[in-house]
Amino acid sequence: MNPYLDILLQFAKAFAVGGAICVVAQVVINFTKLTSGKILVFFMLAGVALEALGLYRYAVDFAGAGATVPISGFGYLLARGAMKGAERGLFGAVTGTLAAASAGITAAVLFSFLAALVFKPRSKKN
């Protein structure tokens, strides 16, 4: 297969799966009175539950970043780290989650700090 077509197919799959997750989130926002924080937790726990059932891995294998970038991918990452760490016992289950998520959390904190240094934060005026 042409490498350019393969890349285009990977993009299309990531867009389709990530877009489907966003569509579900938008439907939940539009038709429920749930707050954004509750929806965020719902999607993270959905990622944990789907990984616990062994289903989220199929989405990750199929769509790559389309499944790992949304917040449900963070739940998947935490569950996967805990399951791998649990092979070493209870302490491993706790440290497995921290080890699995540490790079993403560190990057988020670092880039947020750099953005705060570059831009002047201020409150929105309504």
Side-chain angles (χ1 to χ4, degrees), residues 120-126:
K120 182 180 177 188
R122 58 184 170 167
S123 297
K124 276 177 42 175
K125 296 192 181 197
N126 292 331

Side-chain angles (χ1 to χ4, degrees), residues 29-85:
I29 289 169
N30 288 348
F31 294 108
T32 67
K33 294 189 184 289
L34 293 174
T35 63
S36 57
K38 289 180 181 179
I39 295 169
L40 179 99
V41 170
F42 170 74
F43 273 89
M44 193 196 66
L45 291 176
V48 170
L50 290 172
E51 175 58 17
L53 295 172
L55 301 175
Y56 205 85
R57 185 80 204 152
Y58 294 117
V60 171
D61 290 341
F62 177 75
T68 58
V69 170
I71 192 67
S72 55
F74 183 67
Y76 152 77
L77 181 70
L78 292 176
R80 187 165 176 228
M83 290 189 304
K84 280 187 176 181

